[in-house]
Amino acid sequence: MLSAPALAVLALAASTVASTPESELEAKPVPQAISLQSRKTPRGHVNSIRKRAAKAIGVPLEDFFLGTDLQWFGNISVGTPPQTVSVVFDTGSETLEFASTECTSCTQKNKFDPAKSSTFVRGDRVSTLPFATGVGVDPVVDDDYVLTIRSATDTVTVGGVAAKDVSLFTIIKQTPKFNLDPFLGIQGMGSSAEGFFAAVVKTGLPSLFSLFVTPNEVGNAELLIGGIDKTKFKGDLIYADQTGEGDWEVQSSQISVNGKTTSRLKRRRNIIFDSGTSNILFDTQTTEAMYALISPDIKPFDDEPGAYGLPCSKIGDLPAKINFTFTSQAGKAFNLTIPSEELNVGPFTSDPSTCQTLINAFDGLELVGGSLLKHYYSVWDVGGQRMGFAPNGF
Ligand SMILES: *[C@@H]1O[C@H](CO)[C@@H](O)[C@H](O)[C@H]1NC(C)=O
Ligand SMILES: *[C@@H]1O[C@H](CO)[C@@H](O)[C@H](O)[C@H]1NC(C)=O
Ligand SMILES: *[C@@H]1O[C@H](CO)[C@@H](O)[C@H](O)[C@H]1NC(C)=O
C-alpha cells in the first residue's frame, strides 16, 4: 500500500520513514513496504535457499470484501517450524512486515510468535512507518495509519521454497485503523527483487510474478511467482516499460472519462500500479477534472479530506468509464479501463446517505490500484522491467 486515500487499509505506501538510531531505513532510500512516495527500506538479504523450485509457485489469494472487491491477501510462512502469516502482496512497497505477539495494540488473531521460531533473529532497529494509503478506501487523515516496526531476520517459506535469513520487520505497535485488517501484514512486491522473491528467482524461475485478482463472486484469485498462467486471460499480453524505482510505474499519455478528455487529463504522467491500494489517487486538479466529466453532484467530503462523494440516491448507473492510455513496447497505444461499476465504493461511515466515489485527491501521487487491476491479468516482470496486461479470462 502506499498510502493515501484508499480505504482499504492498506496497501499503500508509506510516506516517510522516521527511525531511531541510524536505521538503514534512513540510509538507503528504498520504498517502504507500504508506500509509495517515500524513502525505501533496506533491501532483504537472502543468504541461502533450502529447496529448489521446480515450477512456478501459485499462492491462493482471498478477497478482503468490504462491499467492494479491492484488496487481496494470501499466506506465507515464517520461522522454524513455519508459522502461517497472512499478508497483502503489495506492489507499492518493498519490505515484509507483520504483527508479532509483542504487539499488544494489534487485535488480529494468530500473530507471529518470535519465541516459537528457532531461526528468528531479533534486530535492534525500531522505526515508524506511516502510510499514505490505508487498507480500505478511507483517506489517511492525521497520520492515522502508522506502524511501529522492529528489524529481524528469519526463514520465509512461500509455496515450498524456503529462503533463510530474510530481512523483515515485526510490527510492535499499530494505530487502531489497522485493526480492521483480516491479515497480519504486508509483503512488499516492489519492482526490484527483494526478500523471498529474490530467493525464488535464484532457484532458476523467471524473475516475474503474475496477479489474477478477481471479483468476490468469481474467486480463485492467485499470485503466481515465476510464471504466467495463460488459462486466466484472453488474447495476448500487451507489455509496457516499467519506469519506477522500487515501485511499479508506467507512463501514460492521456486519461479520458466516458470518451472525453481535457488538457489537464492529456498530460504525460507516470502512473503507479499498487496492488495494495483500493481506490485510485490523483492530484486535486486531475481528480476534479475527471469528476467534472462524470457528474456535477460529486463533491469533496469534508469529514475525510481527499475523499469525494455524492448522495447515494444519485449514484445509480452514472456512466464513469475511465480509460488510461499507455504505449506498448511495440509502440502502439493501448487503454486500460476502469468500468463504471467501480465508481461507487460505498457509503461513508459518518454519513451513510453519501456514497464515496473511486477517485481520491492526493497531491503528488498518481496511482491506480485494485479497482483497475481486477479487470486484467497482470504480469510484473522484474527481470525485464516491464508490465504486461490482458483482459481477465472470466
Ligand atoms: C491461510 O491460512 C489459513 C490458516 O491456515 C487458512 O484458514 C486460510 O484459508 C489460508 N488462506 C488462503 C488464501 O490460502
Ligand atoms: C483509448 O481510449 C480513448 C478514449 O476513450 C479512445 O479515444 C482511443 O481510441 C482508445 N485507444 C485505443 C487504442 O483503443
Ligand atoms: C476505452 O478503451 C477501450 C479499449 O481501448 C475502447 O474499446 C473504448 O472504446 C474506450 N472507451 C471510450 C468510452 O472511449
Side-chain angles (χ1 to χ4, degrees), residues 94-111:
E94 294 197 88
T95 49
L96 168 61
E97 53 265 319
F98 48 83
S100 79
T101 48
E102 189 182 353
C103 182
T104 50
S105 57
C106 300
T107 58
Q108 294 105 316
K109 294 204 181 79
N110 305 315
K111 287 178 277 193

Side-chain angles (χ1 to χ4, degrees), residues 38 70 74 83 101 172 191 257 277 314 316:
S38 62
L70 297 171
Q83 299 177 43
T101 48
I172 56 177
S191 62
V257 180
T277 296
K314 290 190 174 171

Side-chain angles (χ1 to χ4, degrees), residues 258-259 321 323 335 337:
N258 296 326
K321 199 176 189 186
N323 271 4
N335 288 329
T337 305

Side-chain angles (χ1 to χ4, degrees), residues 124-147:
D124 54 9
R125 284 181 290 122
V126 172
S127 340
T128 57
L129 187 56
F131 286 72
T133 53
V135 169
V137 292
D138 286 335
V140 171
V141 179
D142 296 337
D143 278 341
D144 54 358
Y145 284 97
V146 180
L147 298 176

Side-chain angles (χ1 to χ4, degrees), residues 319-356:
K321 199 176 189 186
I322 307 175
N323 271 4
F324 298 93
T325 307
F326 301 94
T327 305
S328 73
Q329 287 187 316
K332 286 213 174 112
F334 69 99
N335 288 329
L336 297 178
T337 305
I338 300 182
S340 305
E341 75 242 28
E342 300 293 348
L343 178 65
N344 183 359
V345 297
F348 284 104
T349 317
S350 63
D351 173 11
S353 69
T354 301
C355 280
Q356 189 180 353

